[in-house]
Amino acid sequence: ITVIDLGYKLGLPSMVVSNKSRNIVVNSMGEQIGLLVEQLSDVVQVDPNEVERPPANIGALQGNFFKGVFKTKDHLIGVLDVEAVLKD
């Protein structure tokens, strides 16, 4: 499958592959694509009704790649718009 450096795609520095690096496989338009990330901390299941609009301070290039945010007791988790990331 095709693997994309997610950091680079988001306008961040390219990542250095390490023991913590992970490849997240997503389905997009009938194709499997790998998103290479520096590390993965948790996987959570979210009710789509609990996703809120992204705050105004998520701006610039990175802000275009988020569908919204999910709030937990201690964290604000960005919900990635995979289709936006894979465009172009």
Side-chain angles (χ1 to χ4, degrees):
I1 65 174
T2 301
V3 177
I4 296 172
D5 179 339
L6 186 58
Y8 179 80
K9 187 67 177 175
L10 294 177
L12 303 169
S14 291
M15 61 167 287
V16 176
V17 177
S18 72
N19 292 354
K20 293 183 180 182
S21 302
R22 296 293 180 259
N23 189 22
I24 302 169
V25 179
V26 297
N27 290 312
S28 174
M29 298 172 59
E31 185 177 353
Q32 291 186 327
I33 305 287
L35 300 176
L36 185 61
V37 298
E38 286 188 17
Q39 70 181 42
L40 190 62
S41 56
D42 275 326
V43 176
V44 295
Q45 289 187 334
V46 175
D47 179 344
N49 296 322
E50 294 180 22
V51 175
E52 300 177 14
R53 294 183 57 89
N57 64 347
I58 297 183
L61 178 63
Q62 291 90 352
N64 295 329
F65 297 120
F66 289 93
K67 285 184 177 181
V69 294
F70 176 72
K71 294 178 183 177
T72 67
K73 180 180 172 189
D74 301 317
H75 295 82
L76 187 65
I77 301 170
V79 178
L80 191 66
D81 184 342
V82 173
E83 299 305 323
V85 169
L86 298 177
K87 245 189 243 183
D88 297 331

